Amino acid sequence: LAFYQGTGAGARAAEVMLRLGDAYRGVGLTTGGWYVPAFAQNPLLRGLGEAWYWLLGLPFRLVAIVLRRTPWALPRPQHLASYQNWLIARIYRTAQDWYEQARAAYAALGDGRGVLAAEQQQAEILILFGYAADALARLEAPRARPAAQDIYRRLWLETASAA
């Protein structure tokens, strides 16, 4: 990335940023996903376990509500109540940051296809965070752009929307 930025190869630098985002997203995906606690089958013990888990997630609920519509969005609070998921959330946030940098670099180059690719990847992170409606809204806006009129790009957006 430093080499391409130093030599003025902006398109290559933007591609590296996009691939770095892909690498972090891939690491997050191969970890096995979000840890989900197992609760006892006894109704009383199950209720106590769920209440405890809800209480652990309360601070994250407050932070997630505040950050949801910002570039620093976090996964759904129920994912963050378990400390095992903090690392996965950090990995996905790093991927999202790389995608944002790639989007900005492609926008500076006037590359609509690159901007579209970065935005689609950001929407896929939102799906992983549990915000499917937000991801759909993010995928809907680019459909009217000229870069999305290519049949393969259109299919790419439709596939992401279906996910």
Side-chain angles (χ1 to χ4, degrees), residues 8-19:
R12 295 279 187 186
E15 180 71 18
V16 169
M17 291 175 201
L18 191 66
R19 296 300 159 230

Side-chain angles (χ1 to χ4, degrees), residues 45-119:
L45 293 176
R46 181 177 189 78
L48 287 173
E50 289 175 356
W52 174 248
Y53 206 72
W54 181 88
L55 187 62
L56 286 175
L58 186 60
F60 298 110
R61 290 180 198 290
L62 300 174
V63 171
I65 289 169
V66 171
L67 296 179
R68 182 158 178 210
R69 303 275 184 215
T70 70
W72 306 285
L74 293 173
R76 291 208 175 268
Q78 61 265 30
H79 296 313
L80 292 176
S82 172
Y83 74 91
Q84 291 98 324
N85 292 336
W86 295 354
L87 180 58
I88 297 172
R90 177 69 180 128
I91 290 169
Y92 286 143
R93 283 291 310 132
T94 303
Q96 209 167 29
D97 290 342
W98 280 116
Y99 290 141
E100 181 54 34
Q101 289 182 48
R103 191 199 62 70
Y106 281 125
L109 294 169
D111 183 346
R113 292 176 65 156
V115 169
L116 191 67
E119 288 177 348

